[in-house]
Amino acid sequence: MAVPDCLFCKIASKEIPAAIVYEDAKFVVIRDINPAAPVHLLIIPRIHLASLNETSDQDVDILGQIQLLAARMAKQENIAQNGYRLVNNCGPWGGQSIYHLHYHLIGGKQLGWPPE
């Protein structure tokens, strides 16, 4: 169910434009407007879940599909061979700024550790 004031719900329903690189019945993948690397995609489920903390055993399928979709997007964006990072920011101390579950697929350059 979409949340009326949620930015990512509005992007998923195309009320707000975004650079969509992939979409299906369950997900929309967009380019981040403030990329941290040459490739920086956001994998957004169409179903609204505020954060990873809001998931339950009922969400195992969608969480697994995110992982598989990330691997496919990495191949599509030609970053799979050299490597990439898949990140979920959860809560204010984790850096979450939009409270709709999403993952950042980041690559296209050497990434440092710990993250910058």
Side-chain angles (χ1 to χ4, degrees):
M1 173 189 252
V3 173
D5 61 343
C6 173
L7 175 66
F8 285 165
C9 285
K10 289 180 178 183
I11 287 172
S13 67
K14 297 188 177 175
E15 291 178 52
I16 294 176
I20 296 173
V21 296
Y22 174 85
E23 64 180 315
D24 63 22
K26 293 183 179 180
F27 299 98
V28 61
V29 180
I30 65 173
R31 295 206 184 277
D32 194 294
I33 61 170
N34 188 23
V39 174
H40 188 162
L41 304 180
L42 301 178
I43 301 171
I44 305 165
R46 290 185 186 274
I47 185 172
H48 182 88
L49 295 162
S51 75
L52 192 58
N53 284 339
E54 305 301 318
T55 61
S56 69
D57 290 345
Q58 295 175 328
D59 302 306
V60 168
D61 186 52
I62 200 153
L63 294 170
Q65 289 178 28
I66 288 169
Q67 300 283 317
L68 295 172
L69 180 54
R72 284 199 318 267
M73 291 292 97
K75 289 176 187 165
Q76 177 180 303
E77 295 289 317
N78 297 311
I79 61 172
Q81 184 173 356
N82 287 332
Y84 53 92
R85 186 168 291 155
L86 184 62
V87 176
N88 172 264
N89 299 327
C90 187
W93 282 20
Q96 186 175 7
S97 60
I98 298 174
Y99 283 82
H100 182 121
L101 179 73
H102 61 285
Y103 284 73
H104 298 255
L105 176 64
I106 303 167
K109 72 173 191 174
Q110 178 70 52
L111 301 171
W113 193 261
E116 293 117 28

